[in-house]
Amino acid sequence: MTSASAPGKIILFGEHAVVYGQPALAVPVSEVHADVEVSTESGEGIWISAPDIDLYAELGTLPPDQPIAAAVRRTLPAVLKTGDLTHPTFRRLTIKVTSSIPRASGLGSGTAVSVAVVRALAAHFHYPISDEEVSSFAYEVDKVHHGTPSGIDNTVIAFARPLFFVRGAPPETFRVGRPLTILIGDTGKPAPTRDAVADVRRLWEADKEKWEGVFADVGEIGRHARKAMETGETARLGRLMDENHDLLRQMTVSSDELERLVAGARAAGAMGAKLSGGGRGGNMIALATRERAPRVSDALHAAGAKNVIITTIG
Ligand code: PMV
């Protein structure tokens, strides 16, 4: 048996603007992860087992847009010495997927499953795979169900390092100067990223000059934030999060639930807070000192958070 796992992720700065070429910052969240086990036994077929979603099926019976099937179909021909999945050396293969990452909430659940599937299959067939290749396979799967994602999710999850990401450019990882405590508050409301991205596109189409100005401001915040993370200027980072959140509100991607959590975190002494990911629901993040984090966590629960993850970056 071979296994692999992949972390969740959060976007710290630059969501939505990243779609329009601005930089964004994202970090892996190892407190939650997707895990994949691959085993070969006697028998036939490629079986996918995902108990979390009640799935147990032979690969051939799954539609092209089933994300686990898409990841397996993309990866197997590349990692097998033979591209022929009916080859006699190829015995029954079972691919078991489990995940502790909440779904549709901006934590990269689907992408983490793809990355773990790719890594587990590559390891099982002794195929030495680079992070770039893992990332590009996962991107192809993300495209199946997200349309035209910027690529930030697959990149940060495949590289599993803090990332300064510009669409189409080689990913830049960077060092975090001083550890940061981030609280991730879940509104519990599933958030279809695709809809939020489409709505922002409509705004942009109606007034490109205005929105490109807003996106450029977000990009500037991202560049300052990278510097503040590298140099350990935590208070400054918090202010930049607040500024980024204001611009996301202008893009209409916040929601009442997110606003309550952001306000609750700030009132409890967080240094900054913002929504994270597509918005309209899903998760928000707050920056706090280690000592203050429990109080901020209580405040998030009191403001309606269904779940709070406390993670350390760097
Ligand atoms: O909802 P998430 O965390 O998958 O993030 C989406 C990020 C966007 O910038 C809104 C879209 C994208 O493709 O980058």
Side-chain angles (χ1 to χ4, degrees), residues 122-255:
H124 195 78
F125 293 101
H126 308 288
Y127 175 86
I129 196 160
S130 66
D131 291 343
E132 283 84 0
E133 213 171 354
V134 172
S135 177
S136 93
F137 286 14
Y139 183 67
E140 285 172 43
V141 180
D142 280 358
K143 276 199 295 197
V144 173
H145 47 119
H146 283 310
T148 51
S150 65
I152 190 167
D153 281 24
N154 52 287
T155 310
V156 68
I157 292 173
F159 284 77
R161 299 263 309 274
L163 193 77
F164 180 85
F165 178 85
V166 178
R167 190 172 192 165
E172 291 176 44
T173 58
F174 64 94
R175 283 180 58 81
V176 178
R178 184 185 296 176
L180 298 168
T181 303
I182 298 277
L183 294 99
I184 306 168
D186 190 352
T187 60
K189 198 173 138 186
T193 296
R194 189 195 265 267
D195 296 352
V197 169
D199 288 351
V200 173
R201 180 160 298 272
R202 271 190 281 277
L203 292 175
W204 171 73
E205 270 162 2
D207 191 344
K208 292 194 179 163
E209 205 183 311
K210 171 185 166 177
W211 290 103
E212 277 166 20
V214 172
F215 301 148
D217 290 346
V218 173
E220 203 48 30
I221 291 172
R223 277 184 280 271
H224 287 301
R226 174 181 177 166
K227 205 163 263 162
M229 284 176 80
E230 285 171 336
T231 54
E233 294 168 87
T234 313
R236 171 141 197 257
L237 199 63
R239 287 194 296 275
L240 291 166
M241 283 168 73
D242 291 345
E243 282 174 32
N244 195 161
H245 182 71
D246 280 345
L247 296 174
L248 287 161
R249 283 175 57 168
Q250 286 183 35
M251 294 177 213
T252 74
V253 294
S254 192
S255 69

Side-chain angles (χ1 to χ4, degrees), residues 187 245-246 248-250 252-266 273-275 280-281 284 300 303:
T187 60
H245 182 71
D246 280 345
L248 287 161
R249 283 175 57 168
Q250 286 183 35
T252 74
V253 294
S254 192
S255 69
D256 292 348
E257 294 85 354
L258 284 164
E259 288 303 309
R260 273 196 289 277
L261 299 193
V262 165
R266 288 178 185 156
K274 64 182 277 294
L275 71 84
R280 300 267 165 83
M284 52 71 69
L300 285 171

